[in-house]
Amino acid sequence: MLWRISYFLLWQIAGGGLGLWQGGPWGAALGAALAAWAWFVWDLLRGARVLRWLRTGDLSEVPSMRGIWGEAADRARRLLRRQEALIRDSQDRLQEILAALQATPNGVVLLDAQGRIEWCNQMAANQFGFDAQRDVAQSIGNLVRDPEFTAYFSGQDFSHDVVLEGRYSTPSRPVRISVHLHPYGDGRTLLLSRDVTALEQADAMRRDFVANVSHEIRTPLTVLTGFVETLQTLPLTAEERSRYLGMMAQQALRMQSVVQDLLTLSRLEGSPPPGMAEWTPVQALLTRCEEEGRALSSLLTQNQQQTHVLQFPSQEVLRLEGEVAGVPTELQSALSNLISNAVRYTPAGGAISVQWLRKDDGSAVFSVHDTGPGIAPEHIPRLTERFYRVDRSRSRETGGTGLGLAIVKHVLQRHGATLDIASVLGKGSVFSVTFPANRLRGFVLPG
Ligand code: ADP
């Protein structure tokens, strides 16, 4: 301010001095008046320059000047800089929050007080079929047409969630989305959505499983109690008694097998996958499989005119095959199970061939080929489900529990191996197990 007054006085003195020199005391007064006007106009122009710059606020073109206008411009520049930094900072934070919301595995939609979309993440866009950019400002009620959602949204009772059909849900691939609305701020709503398809499927599977187990146990139990009642109430001959007791033993054995298989499955699920510490010779594994397969075949065909034609790899070949990593009992039971199925489902006279082949990539394939009834394509993907059977009566006749392939799949998964099933109805089936190269060792090249 002192500078400003000093400048004004300097202009006055210069104007007055010039006037005095040119025209005496009147000249001095006129000179001072003109100098005051000139200073006023000069000052006005400087102020206008600062004002013009303030209108654009362009920090790269800050007017450089001294005095009060220079200071005003400088202070404004500093304020603008600070403001800009603050804006940049909050924009960065907003972007970080939006990026975090994008990264959540759940759908997030921000709705304004009128129920219009303000922002939504990609997950929500996928679940509801929105376009994350185009559908901004669209009313959620127009985009999600499910009557359940409409009732939920208009009901304004957001204490619970609602489960809707996903946008791309089909009967063969159902998608179920749980939607929960949370009010916040001044009338705004946060919509959170979650894909609950797997959860609902697991729940349905659990219910099916409990129903299946109950059924599998209840059926032989009903038969057993029926026989007990008969034995208790009817006067039977010794021969009848022993026949009934034989049938009771059969039912008890059936229950025992189901319980045994269920325990095996739960043990497999509950224990960590086997490491690479334990190794089993392929020769021992397949020799045991052969013994069990032949024993089962002769048991099943003992009263028949024909037997099975069984073929296994020769001991000479197996001797060169080295070892496979894993728990011997588990591997043994899985491979034997495939052979036992082939024997059980192939009628007498049919052929069953077991092979062990090394591939060029170092992996090995164990396969069981049979000339049994074959399996229709629609059943193949479901064979490893618990209690899934194509032919219930045939499975029971031969002592099947419907859990065999589920156990096989589990054991193989734990050992890094895969199961492939190929079958032609009426011709036969091939069950192949591929062991990866890293779980095999000690293979000796023939020759
Ligand atoms: P199960 O104890 O009933 O044999 P699995 O889980 O071992 O149960 O097999 C499931 C179903 O797959 C069987 O019930 C049967 O219908 C079918 N299956 C398995 N192996 C064969 C095969 N080699 N030939 C024909 N059907 C088979």
Side-chain angles (χ1 to χ4, degrees):
M1 202 59 189
L2 206 67
W3 272 105
R4 195 171 165 77
I5 295 166
S6 315
Y7 260 115
F8 181 71
L9 287 177
L10 263 173
W11 277 71
Q12 291 286 290
I13 292 165
L18 213 66
L20 188 70
W21 175 49
Q22 291 289 323
W26 283 106
L30 189 68
L34 281 176
W37 271 102
W39 181 87
F40 177 66
V41 170
W42 175 72
D43 194 59
L44 213 63
L45 286 174
R46 276 161 48 91
R49 216 176 123 203
V50 172
L51 209 66
R52 208 174 324 117
W53 166 71
L54 273 176
R55 275 197 202 110
T56 65
D58 185 351
L59 283 170
S60 62
E61 284 178 13
V62 188
S64 104
M65 57 183 73
R66 287 213 218 113
I68 198 162
W69 289 115
E71 194 181 327
D74 193 46
R75 290 204 173 183
R77 177 183 59 81
R78 265 188 261 160
L79 266 175
L80 279 173
R81 277 249 159 90
R82 204 175 313 148
Q83 207 68 23
E84 224 174 48
L86 274 174
I87 291 171
R88 217 175 312 122
D89 200 39
S90 37
Q91 265 174 351
D92 286 351
R93 287 176 62 158
L94 181 67
Q95 286 312 317
E96 272 169 27
I97 292 169
L98 292 183
L101 291 178
Q102 279 290 12
T104 57
N106 298 332
V108 181
V109 185
L110 306 182
L111 301 170
D112 68 10
Q114 278 72 45
R116 289 179 302 225
I117 298 176
E118 286 188 314
W119 183 87
C120 76
N121 69 355
Q122 199 49 47
M123 185 55 81
N126 295 344
Q127 286 172 344
F128 296 106
F130 299 159
D131 183 311
Q133 267 90 45
R134 198 195 55 213
D135 288 335
V136 166
Q138 293 282 332
S139 168
I140 187 89
N142 290 339
L143 296 171
V144 183
R145 296 252 176 198
D146 195 305
E148 257 190 272
F149 178 76
T150 313
Y152 175 58
F153 190 57
S154 54
Q156 296 288 311
D157 172 15
F158 303 146
S159 56
H160 60 98
D161 63 347
V162 64
V163 178
L164 315 173
E165 199 97 323
R167 177 76 167 81
Y168 301 109
S169 179
T170 58
S172 59
R173 255 190 108 249
V175 179
R176 306 277 293 158
I177 309 290
S178 150
V179 176
H180 205 157
L181 291 169
H182 303 270
Y184 76 100
D186 44 357
R188 286 186 155 80
T189 321
L190 169 73
L191 182 154
L192 294 179
S193 59
R194 195 161 54 100
D195 190 330
V196 289
T197 317
L199 220 75
E200 286 202 345
Q201 274 170 355
D203 209 37
M205 267 170 76
R206 188 188 52 76
R207 279 198 307 269
D208 283 357
F209 181 67
V210 172
N212 276 326
V213 172
S214 317
H215 176 77
E216 292 297 327
I217 302 282
R218 202 182 48 209
T219 314
L221 212 56
T222 316
V223 180
L224 260 177
T225 39
F227 281 132
V228 170
E229 243 177 66
T230 312
L231 285 172
Q232 279 173 334
T233 51
L234 291 181
L236 299 169
T237 63
E239 193 201 328
E240 279 172 330
R241 277 182 90 81
S242 105
R243 194 154 53 88
Y244 283 173
L245 284 170
M247 288 196 273
M248 286 168 75
Q250 217 176 10
Q251 296 302 323
L253 273 177
R254 199 175 127 195
M255 283 201 296
Q256 206 175 21
S257 312
V258 173
V259 172
Q260 195 68 43
D261 279 357
L262 283 172
L263 287 174
T264 307
L265 261 178
S266 87
R267 187 175 44 76
L268 288 173
E269 278 175 344
S271 60
M276 306 287 281
E278 220 169 337
W279 290 85
T280 315
V282 174
Q283 187 181 13
L285 209 58
L286 267 76
T287 307
R288 201 59 216 283
C289 286
E290 181 172 349
E291 284 165 11
E292 286 184 10
R294 287 192 189 280
L296 183 66
S297 168
S298 22
L299 186 77
L300 292 178
T301 56
Q302 61 186 351
N303 296 326
Q304 306 200 22
Q305 284 170 346
Q306 285 179 302
T307 56
H308 290 125
V309 180
L310 297 167
Q311 205 186 344
F312 287 88
S314 71
Q315 291 295 320
E316 284 72 44
V317 171
L318 290 178
R319 201 170 303 127
L320 308 173
E321 284 303 328
E323 297 175 310
V324 54
V327 183
T329 48
E330 286 186 18
L331 288 171
Q332 177 66 55
S333 90
L335 302 188
S336 276
N337 206 305
L338 296 179
I339 299 174
S340 122
N341 275 357
V343 171
R344 280 165 47 225
Y345 292 107
T346 306
I352 293 140
S353 145
V354 176
Q355 296 174 5
W356 177 274
L357 285 176
R358 273 284 167 165
K359 298 276 225 36
D360 290 341
D361 61 2
S363 62
V365 181
F366 166 89
S367 56
V368 184
H369 306 243
D370 69 52
T371 58
I375 305 155
E378 66 270 23
H379 295 296
I380 293 180
R382 302 197 57 191
L383 290 184
T384 53
E385 284 176 21
R386 288 154 196 216
F387 296 114
Y388 190 84
R389 294 169 172 117
V390 179
D391 181 349
R392 248 165 214 281
S393 57
R394 180 97 187 87
S395 161
R396 291 227 176 86
E397 260 170 44
T398 56
T401 58
L403 292 168
L405 289 179
I407 295 176
V408 171
K409 187 182 151 195
H410 252 287
V411 169
L412 298 183
Q413 261 174 359
R414 285 159 57 79
H415 287 81
T418 50
L419 175 69
D420 291 297
I421 306 169
S423 189
V424 179
L425 204 57
K427 287 218 160 16
S429 318
V430 183
F431 286 75
S432 321
V433 177
T434 306
F435 290 98
N438 66 333
R439 298 194 74 97
L440 298 161
R441 73 175 185 193
F443 171 57
V444 181
L445 272 173

